Amino acid sequence: MNTAASGLGAFAPQSAQQFAADWAKALKGVTGLELPSGALPELQARYMREAAELWNGVAAPGKEAAAPADRRFAAQDWLTSPTSAYLAGMYLLNARTLLQLADEVQADEKTRQRIRFAVQQWVDAASPSNYLALNPEAQRKALETKGESIAQGLQHLWHDIQQGHVSQTDESVFEVGRNVATTEGAVVFENELFQLIEYKPVTAKVHERPLLIVPPCINKFYILDLQPDNSFVRHALSQGQRVFLLSWVNANDSIGDKTWDDYIEHAVIRAIREVQAISRQAQINTLGFCIGGTLLASGLAVLAARGDEPAASMTLLTSMLDFSDTGVLDLFVDENMVRMRERALGQGGLLKGKELALTFSFLRPNDLVWNYVVGNYLKGETPPPFDLLYWNSDSTNLPGPMYCWYLRHTYLENNLVKPGKLTVCGEPLDLRLLDMPTFIYASREDHIVPWHSAYTTTQILPGKKQFVLGASGHIAGVINPPQKNKRSHWVSSKVPTTPQAWLDGATEQPGSWWPAWIGWLKPQSGKLIPAAKTPGDRTHKPIEPAPGRYVKTRA
């Protein structure tokens, strides 16, 4: 029997009295931290009471255990076996108690949250559902299939070991350019950092002022162009926008020395220049998503310092400019961690995409890790095809110096919002120079860019702002096409000082936020003109069809 699982879920109430005390003693031995006086007896009393209730409920003859409010133990197999029901119940009780103990630790808030995060990781890993010897549902399937599910699970395990990550979807179903990232267009410019895609218009007339999209460089751009019915790019095209998109290179050793300044000067600013030249427009509309928004705002601030204002408008989707509250990601960042990264990668090298992907997966381990361990390996199931999870597994590498600069000056020191603190591309950076109309979107359940942190952008930029809050998380909130008629969003014409004041005065609207954005963007887009018949121009000949070869390179 696995010691972690058995230790957390399989002991009787008689031995439970020492559980909290032993954990508190271990905590002090490892960290030097203690629980406040009075907390331990209260937790012990509550623990003993709930453990006794659980034991009495399971031991009652002829009584089936009540289903726990946890989908890991929702199958009937856990309820019909008294042993399994008790194991699941004790595991959940022990897990709750450990987390309560972590919350009571006498320490500063960041230290307490780090302890809680570490405890949560161990608790999730120790679930009896994760082990064949303790999972009655997986055992039943093994008997029904005469061992075939176990054999299939071992094949899945070996496949995932070879590919270097746990499969979250059937990746064999998808191919970039064939059934994801299929919107028609052409690459009209490229350098060592990016390809510039111009998409084919789908309307006879388009707005004269084009839209340049800067996606995150830590993921592939096609989250914005997954399928025809949920493609943000295709929706913008259908509304008469002339759309250009920056497709980042998947970094390799040849560009392992590139810096934040390189990504600003030779990617963001260069893309703006090329779009201006192709469209023959002095000003364009711009959109940045996640870190793409941080890069875009930085690039526009550099240009503003040079006396240039190429953006008629800026849209920021789940992006942060003020990093004073970065949510759960703050747990990973301190001076020692950043110095370690700088020693390893600051002068060159690559931050591997798989490392970033693993970090983000363990922010939600039950949903993005253990769920697939159980399904793929214990039950021998092939995960169903899901385009978003295929994209999630298609990670990208980053140049070490660029990543280290970003880590120190945003997450650690929050220097972007300090006027003149940073010099980027030879210019003192001052976000207060960005006075163009700005649309700011945040997702209410976002664990990567907390919505109240995204809201602080309204207090940084001096121009006219529109803030919209969507339901769901970092990705699902953004990718919410109107025709699906899902979720909701909140709007308000005012931008008060605090996010809570904004929310108190906002109105909830059903469905997608995309129409609200299009309604805001159209007045910034100029008059309608006949759509271009061919991509690029005389000096920007099509290089290859969209989505281009950069996005097809796997990490």
Side-chain angles (χ1 to χ4, degrees):
M1 181 179 292
N2 178 276
T3 56
S6 61
L8 195 58
F11 58 81
Q14 298 95 299
S15 61
Q17 192 167 8
Q18 287 299 313
F19 178 65
D22 290 346
W23 189 89
K25 184 178 179 181
L27 174 71
K28 184 178 180 180
V30 173
T31 68
L33 301 173
E34 295 183 344
L35 299 175
S37 59
L40 194 57
E42 181 181 345
L43 284 170
Q44 285 177 318
R46 184 189 313 147
Y47 182 92
M48 288 299 297
R49 183 174 63 254
E50 294 183 16
E53 290 173 356
L54 178 64
W55 176 259
N56 292 334
V58 171
K63 182 180 178 181
E64 185 176 294
D70 190 308
R71 63 186 178 87
R72 291 173 293 179
F73 310 110
Q76 195 65 23
D77 306 80
W78 290 96
L79 308 179
T80 54
S81 165
T83 301
S84 296
Y86 179 68
L87 184 66
M90 282 304 300
Y91 161 77
L92 292 172
L93 172 57
N94 293 336
R96 288 195 305 273
T97 304
L98 281 172
L99 292 171
Q100 289 164 357
L101 285 165
D103 290 339
E104 294 290 343
V105 169
Q106 289 182 312
D108 62 87
E109 182 61 25
K110 186 166 184 173
T111 299
R112 188 161 51 247
Q113 289 299 322
R114 281 180 164 178
I115 291 172
R116 194 183 205 283
F117 181 82
V119 170
Q120 185 71 66
Q121 295 297 316
W122 187 77
V123 161
D124 291 343
S127 171
S129 60
N130 298 337
Y131 304 94
L132 182 61
L134 303 174
N135 189 323
E137 187 181 5
Q139 293 168 5
R140 174 181 54 79
K141 188 163 187 177
L143 291 172
E144 290 177 348
T145 62
K146 298 180 180 179
E148 181 62 29
S149 63
I150 296 177
Q152 191 67 40
L154 290 172
Q155 291 180 23
H156 290 328
L157 176 61
W158 178 240
H159 174 267
D160 287 354
I161 290 173
Q162 290 178 308
Q163 72 176 3
H165 64 266
V166 177
S167 294
Q168 298 176 335
T169 185
D170 185 354
E171 297 180 20
S172 65
V173 172
F174 299 102
E175 181 183 346
V176 176
R178 179 176 65 84
N179 56 4
V180 291
T182 60
T183 298
E184 192 173 352
V187 174
V188 293
F189 174 84
E190 69 179 38
N191 63 20
E192 62 181 344
L193 294 179
F194 77 100
Q195 290 187 312
L196 181 66
I197 298 172
E198 180 179 4
Y199 287 98
K200 182 179 179 180
V202 299
T203 55
K205 292 186 175 184
V206 296
H207 290 279
E208 61 178 345
R209 188 172 287 150
L211 171 67
L212 170 64
I213 298 176
V214 182
C217 54
I218 60 175
N219 297 106
K220 301 291 183 68
F221 79 80
Y222 62 87
I223 185 60
L224 298 170
D225 187 32
L226 283 172
Q227 303 289 340
D229 64 347
N230 65 3
S231 169
F232 184 86
V233 168
R234 194 178 292 255
H235 181 75
L237 291 168
S238 73
Q239 300 302 308
Q241 295 295 324
R242 185 178 185 184
V243 179
F244 292 80
L245 185 142
L246 189 160
S247 173
W248 296 101
V249 70
N250 198 340
N252 56 31
D253 291 333
S254 69
I255 61 167
D257 61 345
K258 296 302 179 183
T259 65
W260 182 266
D261 281 19
D262 291 323
Y263 269 61
I264 298 297
E265 190 75 70
H266 303 301
V268 174
I269 292 177
R270 187 61 185 270
I272 290 171
R273 295 302 187 215
E274 301 305 327
V275 174
Q276 285 178 302
I278 293 171
S279 64
R280 299 180 182 179
Q281 292 290 315
Q283 286 195 314
I284 65 174
N285 291 315
T286 59
L287 182 151
F289 180 17
C290 189
I291 187 180
T294 310
L295 285 160
L296 173 62
S298 299
L300 291 175
V302 168
L303 291 175
R306 296 171 181 173
D308 191 359
E309 298 181 351
S313 75
M314 178 169 63
T315 297
L316 299 176
L317 307 181
T318 59
S319 298
M320 279 192 291
L321 302 183
D322 182 346
F323 287 74
S324 58
D325 182 0
T326 57
V328 68
L329 292 180
D330 182 58
L331 303 179
F332 300 96
V333 182
D334 59 21
E335 181 66 36
N336 291 333
M337 177 268 190
V338 174
R339 284 184 179 179
M340 180 187 69
R341 289 297 197 180
E342 289 171 339
R343 286 194 296 269
L345 299 171
Q347 301 305 311
L350 295 177
L351 176 71
K352 298 295 185 179
K354 289 181 180 179
E355 182 179 345
L356 274 177
L358 187 64
T359 298
F360 285 119
S361 290
F362 273 98
L363 296 180
R364 295 167 52 203
N366 281 333
D367 292 331
L368 297 178
V369 180
W370 300 113
N371 175 52
Y372 298 102
V373 168
V374 173
N376 298 2
Y377 310 150
L378 303 193
K379 299 180 184 178
E381 299 169 348
T382 301
F386 188 13
D387 53 9
L388 192 149
L389 289 177
Y390 173 77
W391 165 84
N392 190 58
S393 69
D394 193 2
S395 56
T396 57
N397 304 323
L398 290 177
M402 178 268 186
Y403 166 71
C404 289
W405 190 100
Y406 175 63
L407 198 60
R408 173 167 292 281
H409 292 295
T410 58
Y411 281 92
L412 182 62
E413 298 181 359
N414 193 27
N415 288 328
L416 281 182
V417 294
K418 302 171 184 176
K421 175 71 174 178
L422 297 174
T423 298
V424 178
C425 302
E427 306 293 344
L429 200 72
D430 189 350
L431 297 177
R432 297 175 303 178
L433 298 176
L434 303 180
D435 59 358
M436 71 287 288
T438 303
F439 184 99
I440 303 159
Y441 169 82
S443 292
R444 192 168 186 176
E445 299 164 32
D446 194 337
H447 62 290
I448 296 173
V449 179
W451 81 267
H452 51 269
S453 295
Y455 183 83
T456 59
T457 298
T458 64
Q459 307 304 305
I460 299 169
L461 305 181
K464 188 175 182 181
K465 281 95 54 176
Q466 173 73 44
F467 183 83
V468 172
L469 180 65
S472 197
H474 189 69
I475 297 299
V478 173
I479 308 305
N480 186 23
Q483 63 271 23
K484 300 287 188 179
N485 197 28
K486 295 174 65 176
R487 306 187 186 96
S488 62
H489 62 282
W490 290 260
V491 297
S492 174
S493 60
K494 299 178 181 180
V495 282
T497 305
T498 67
Q500 188 58 50
W502 181 90
L503 186 60
D504 291 342
T507 303
E508 185 175 5
Q509 304 286 344
S512 173
W513 61 271
W514 292 9
W517 172 68
I518 287 293
W520 174 89
L521 184 64
K522 282 186 176 180
Q524 329 293 337
S525 302
K527 66 178 184 292
L528 290 170
I529 60 174
K533 297 185 182 300
T534 56
D537 62 11
R538 292 181 180 179
T539 60
H540 296 81
K541 300 294 185 183
I543 297 171
E544 61 182 336
R549 67 189 185 281
Y550 282 16
V551 74
K552 296 180 181 180
T553 303
R554 303 282 292 192

